[in-house]
Amino acid sequence: MIKVITYGTYDLLHQGHINLLQRAKKLGDYLIVGVTSDSFDKGRGKLNVRNNVLERVEAVRATGYPDEIIIEDYLGQKIDDIQKYDVDIFAIGSDWEGKFDYLNEYCKVVYLPRTKGVSSTMLREVSQEVFKVGIVGSGRIAKRFVPESKVVNGIEVAAVYNPNQESAEAFAKHFDLKPFVEDYHLFLNEVDAVYIASPHLTHYQYTKEALYSGKHVLCEIPFVLSASQANELYDYAEKQNLVLLEASKTAYCPAFCHLTTLVKSGVIGDVVDVKASLSKIMEGVTRELDVAQAGGAMNEHASLNLMAIIKLLGNDYSYVDFYSKVKNGVDIYTKANINYPHATSSITLGIGVKTEGNLVVSGTKGYIYVPAPWWLTSFFEVRYEDQTKNKKYFYSYDGEGLRYEIQEFVSMIVNYRRSSYKLRRRECITIADIIEKFNKKINYTEI
Ligand code: CTP
């Protein structure tokens, strides 16, 4: 019996796929088709895939050609599969000509003619509505958003709003956008959705007005600084059937998503401790060091680090305590312990103190180590007492990493999903609640 294997994403299954599967089947007696997993596609930069893995598997099965379907989940898997399934022929479309010659060592490699004039990319482009997005704020993070948005289908950055005329105009000129300076509502009329990247204390008002104008909102961290404000905004977004998403970028990146599912599936046993840290020395006259602009290590860095803890340990913590070093009214260093009935956790944050920026998740069977900078997760290791069982996971963290949150935002809008399992409403509210507790304490006691 001659065994043939072929691989693909098979998004929005089209005639090109069907022809390819038919040709591959004709090469032998038994056809195995490898369909990429969702996380594998994201990890290799294929962000815009429309159908999820189950839909794609079903579509491939419905062609009637495969005798067996497997999931492709990691780089290098083809070599494993060819040996495991005793494959005679590896077949793939001619767009890959030469790229898989290295597999000749394991079986025969055949490049089959590709069907002209159709591809999943093409189908995605023609069927996708394009949303106009406006950016509120034109600072450092806003600058990263525009290039990152270009790799995501279905979004076009059209306008920028900043009450500071010079800044709005310079940004608009640089990225070829329409600037708005005075009237926020005129700006809102111009777009379908907004990305809020303005100073912390303006997030609440800008988000509220955008939602009231019927616009979807992606808001930078820290979303808002109080649980009641977060609650109010989510309530309103839900009532209006709008997407409201906190741009906690790490929550959406492939490696971190995989880390959370591994932990939840018990690879390190019961989680007993999570430690997350992030520090960046800030100097000079800057918003981060200004008490009037909600500066400080906690407001600046807590969101991402609390996000990791809450994703892994949940919302129901028992109590939280803080230790800070304060300079000119802002915490230049804060350590917070967030205790749970079943576990403990801490965040260590600095804007005037430097420390290691890693993430360690400790469990009863082993631990996960993510080296600094953990929030740009591209690699982590699961470690055990018996080191021969340790496992390293590598992912790509493409560009500035904002593309993953942008993709989730667009996918929620397009697919009428109003909640993201990657960062739930309740989790955002818990983050805001802990930040609020800290700000109340620091205002009263000057720790
Ligand atoms: N294929 C083909 N003819 C086409 C499109 C794809 O023969 N017009 C083949 C590919 O060469 C590959 C298989 O179908 O062997 C699965 O390809 P996949 O990457 O899933 O499809 P594309 O349409 O190329 O997807 P994308 O546009 O996302 O790259």
Side-chain angles (χ1 to χ4, degrees):
M1 184 170 74
I2 298 175
K3 277 192 175 180
V4 182
I5 199 162
T6 188
Y7 294 84
T9 303
Y10 305 103
D11 190 27
L12 305 173
L13 194 99
H14 55 68
Q15 196 56 45
H17 296 141
I18 297 170
N19 295 345
L20 190 284
L21 292 174
Q22 187 188 36
R23 287 172 190 144
K25 175 84 178 192
K26 276 197 192 140
L27 294 174
D29 310 302
Y30 191 84
L31 176 65
I32 304 173
V33 180
V35 178
T36 50
S37 72
D38 296 331
S39 60
F40 182 53
D41 270 329
K42 288 241 160 60
R44 64 195 188 118
K46 228 176 172 176
L47 290 176
N48 298 303
V49 174
R50 281 292 179 78
N51 297 139
N52 67 39
V53 64
L54 290 179
E55 293 164 334
R56 292 183 283 113
V57 164
E58 278 319 306
V60 168
R61 195 190 311 283
T63 65
Y65 295 117
D67 295 288
E68 189 171 347
I69 297 179
I70 57 171
I71 303 297
E72 185 184 20
D73 200 31
Y74 62 89
L75 215 58
Q77 188 184 323
K78 292 184 178 78
I79 294 176
D80 285 344
D81 290 341
I82 289 168
Q83 297 179 100
K84 188 160 89 188
Y85 296 102
D86 212 3
V87 166
D88 302 288
I89 299 172
F90 168 86
I92 196 92
S94 52
D95 45 324
W96 294 97
E97 189 78 52
K99 299 257 171 48
F100 289 103
D101 288 357
Y102 68 91
L103 293 175
N104 273 312
E105 195 182 327
Y106 306 94
C107 68
K108 189 174 169 195
V109 175
V110 176
Y111 297 100
L112 293 167
R114 184 180 162 91
T115 308
K116 289 201 173 69
V118 61
S119 76
S120 303
T121 307
M122 221 162 95
L123 295 178
R124 284 190 293 261
E125 275 164 12
V126 294
S127 63
Q128 174 102 56
E129 250 181 279
V130 175
F131 281 87
K132 272 192 178 181
V133 172
I135 302 185
V136 182
S138 41
R140 271 168 289 157
I141 302 176
K143 281 200 183 84
R144 296 185 209 153
F145 188 88
V146 185
E148 286 286 301
S149 72
K150 295 216 185 334
V151 298
V152 180
N153 282 348
I155 179 172
E156 180 208 337
V157 180
V160 60
Y161 173 81
N162 191 331
N164 176 319
Q165 183 166 2
E166 203 183 321
S167 180
E169 281 171 0
F171 191 90
K173 191 164 172 225
H174 186 76
F175 292 111
D176 194 19
L177 310 173
K178 200 164 166 185
F180 290 83
V181 175
E182 267 150 32
D183 194 333
Y184 185 52
H185 292 97
L186 273 184
F187 160 80
L188 290 174
N189 288 342
E190 188 77 16
V191 297
D192 308 301
V194 294
Y195 167 62
I196 297 179
S198 53
H200 305 338
L201 291 174
T202 62
H203 287 181
Y204 170 73
Q205 200 58 32
Y206 282 141
T207 302
K208 187 171 169 173
E209 287 177 36
L211 292 172
Y212 275 58
S213 302
K215 311 298 169 183
H216 305 286
V217 176
L218 175 65
C219 183
E220 257 311 324
I221 50 171
F223 168 39
V224 283
L225 303 179
S226 91
S228 60
Q229 286 185 345
N231 228 333
E232 178 198 330
L233 294 173
Y234 273 104
D235 267 350
Y236 192 75
E238 269 167 31
K239 271 194 207 106
Q240 298 303 311
N241 197 20
L242 293 166
V243 173
L244 171 58
L245 196 63
E246 180 168 2
S248 189
K249 64 178 180 182
T250 315
Y252 309 99
C253 84
F256 184 77
C257 289
H258 192 201
L259 184 155
T260 52
T261 55
L262 281 178
V263 171
K264 297 284 176 191
S265 59
V267 296
I268 55 164
D270 296 332
V271 180
V272 173
D273 193 2
V274 182
K275 292 191 204 96
S277 10
L278 198 168
S279 69
K280 195 171 178 187
I281 301 269
M282 310 293 302
E283 277 159 350
V285 182
T286 159
R287 175 180 60 73
E288 289 86 348
L289 295 171
D290 183 357
V291 67
Q293 296 189 69
M298 188 74 183
N299 288 340
E300 199 55 34
H301 298 319
S303 303
L304 279 180
N305 294 275
L306 288 173
M307 180 280 293
I309 286 170
I310 290 159
K311 293 256 32 129
L312 296 169
L313 291 174
N315 292 290
D316 300 322
Y317 69 90
S318 340
Y319 66 95
V320 54
D321 60 67
F322 306 99
Y323 168 86
S324 295
K325 279 257 171 260
V326 177
K327 197 173 161 190
N328 301 326
V330 300
D331 58 313
I332 55 165
Y333 180 78
T334 288
K335 181 166 183 188
N337 296 302
I338 305 104
N339 296 296
Y340 290 77
H342 56 286
T344 186
S345 67
S346 60
I347 53 174
T348 307
L349 314 169
I351 54 166
V353 171
K354 194 68 192 158
T355 184
E356 178 72 5
N358 57 11
L359 171 71
V360 181
V361 188
S362 310
T364 50
K365 290 187 185 153
Y367 72 98
I368 294 187
Y369 174 70
V370 191
W374 81 263
W375 54 96
L376 309 180
T377 324
S378 60
F379 160 77
F380 62 86
E381 185 170 7
V382 185
R383 293 176 175 172
Y384 296 101
E385 191 65 47
D386 174 358
Q387 292 181 17
T388 59
K389 295 202 169 118
N390 289 3
K391 215 166 164 195
K392 294 181 166 80
Y393 292 84
F394 296 90
Y395 282 84
S396 67
Y397 182 88
D398 289 330
E400 300 279 357
L402 269 62
R403 59 193 60 190
Y404 306 111
E405 68 191 32
I406 300 173
Q407 198 277 333
E408 182 68 3
F409 185 54
V410 173
S411 147
M412 287 172 79
I413 298 174
V414 173
N415 297 310
Y416 301 97
R417 271 193 300 123
R418 295 306 179 242
S419 171
S420 170
Y421 74 90
K422 291 175 183 166
L423 192 57
R424 298 248 181 236
R425 164 196 170 130
R426 175 99 198 278
E427 293 164 340
C428 293
I429 293 170
T430 307
I431 293 169
D433 157 61
I434 294 173
I435 296 177
E436 180 178 16
K437 286 202 170 88
F438 171 81
N439 281 314
K440 281 190 176 147
K441 192 169 159 64
I442 199 166
N443 287 343
Y444 296 139
T445 55
E446 281 281 316
I447 312 162

